[in-house]
Amino acid sequence: MIFKEQTKSIPITKMMVWESYKLIRSNRGSAGIDRQTLEEFDKVRSKELYKIWNRLAYGSYFPSPVKRLVIPKGCGKTRPLGIPTVSDWNI
């Protein structure tokens, strides 16, 4: 007998996407590779949040590549930092 591995999806609500957005807003997220700022995102927020929710809810969401920066640490060392797009912060 062959068993197929199935994953259970978590229902994504519009409220979950909204709460995630509010957290991003409070953390003052930075622009990713698409260079879209929070201020620009806010101009079309309702439309963008709906698109994010729709893609998440129906399993068609694929994140954008992450912008990579190298930031200084103590003692002359550095470390990589990944910055997703504003839309991908919601995930």
Side-chain angles (χ1 to χ4, degrees):
M1 182 181 266
I2 299 174
F3 293 97
K4 287 188 176 182
E5 188 175 319
Q6 292 183 338
T7 58
K8 290 187 177 182
S9 62
I10 298 171
I12 305 295
T13 65
K14 290 178 184 177
M15 184 57 70
M16 292 166 76
V17 174
W18 176 247
E19 291 299 322
S20 180
Y21 167 76
K22 290 192 309 187
L23 181 61
I24 295 159
R25 192 81 186 128
S26 69
N27 289 338
R28 296 176 294 177
S30 175
I33 64 160
D34 64 355
R35 297 182 179 168
Q36 183 183 41
T37 65
L38 277 169
E39 291 74 24
E40 292 166 344
F41 186 88
D42 282 342
K43 291 176 185 175
V44 290
R45 179 181 61 209
S46 181
K47 177 182 167 187
E48 290 297 317
L49 292 178
Y50 178 80
K51 283 190 334 189
I52 292 166
W53 167 76
N54 192 36
R55 289 176 181 159
L56 286 170
Y58 293 97
S60 62
Y61 170 78
F62 294 97
S64 301
V66 174
K67 179 179 177 179
R68 187 173 193 156
L69 295 177
V70 178
I71 60 171
K73 296 282 290 178
C75 303
K77 295 183 180 183
T78 61
R79 77 170 177 92
L81 177 68
I83 302 174
T85 62
V86 174
S87 294
D88 291 331
W89 275 98
N90 282 294
I91 312 315

